[in-house]
Amino acid sequence: MKSQWMLILGLLFALIIAVFAVINVDAVQVNYLFGSTSTPLILVIMISTLFGGLAVGSLGMIRVFMLQRKLKQLEKQLHDVVNHSLQATPEQEGQEEWKLDEPSLFE
């Protein structure tokens, strides 16, 4: 449900940006580090929005990949702990204290 709302909000934002860009078609002077040029404002708005979206999307994808990697590490740790506890004898139960190597995702 959350992803549907995010999609709707994203489309609404894109529509607002498109309308804003279409009503601003005058040529403006754009200064770059290496020179300047006269460019229609609609292109400046659309290119700026595109680069901003790419930057935010890239950062979001990096975070997703990091969380997936962390999830795999924690699943492997859990699997190792479960296997070790199943192999433990009744005398060994309670003598060992289990500690995780990595901090929790919720900290």
Side-chain angles (χ1 to χ4, degrees):
M1 186 74 170
K2 182 180 177 182
S3 62
Q4 291 173 347
W5 281 109
M6 293 298 288
L7 179 65
I8 291 170
L9 288 175
L11 290 174
L12 183 64
F13 181 72
L15 179 66
I16 290 170
I17 294 295
V19 169
F20 180 73
V22 168
I23 61 176
N24 289 295
V25 292
D26 298 332
V28 293
Q29 188 74 20
V30 179
N31 295 318
Y32 302 103
L33 292 175
F34 51 85
S36 63
T37 184
S38 180
T39 308
L41 187 56
I42 188 171
L43 289 178
V44 174
I45 293 170
M46 293 304 236
I47 291 172
S48 298
T49 303
L50 176 68
F51 284 147
L54 289 174
V56 169
S58 298
L59 291 174
M61 288 177 62
I62 289 170
R63 179 170 166 85
V64 167
F65 288 135
M66 288 173 50
L67 289 173
Q68 284 177 346
R69 188 179 68 194
K70 180 70 172 178
L71 178 64
K72 286 180 184 177
Q73 288 174 352
L74 291 174
E75 284 176 341
K76 184 181 182 309
Q77 261 186 337
L78 178 63
H79 183 265
D80 292 344
V81 167
V82 168
N83 282 343
H84 188 271
S85 67
L86 291 176
Q87 294 172 355
T89 62
E91 300 88 37
Q92 292 174 339
E93 288 183 14
Q95 292 180 0
E96 297 179 6
E97 183 179 324
W98 299 104
K99 294 182 182 177
L100 296 177
D101 297 336
E102 310 253 345
S104 172
L105 287 174
F106 301 107
E107 291 180 355

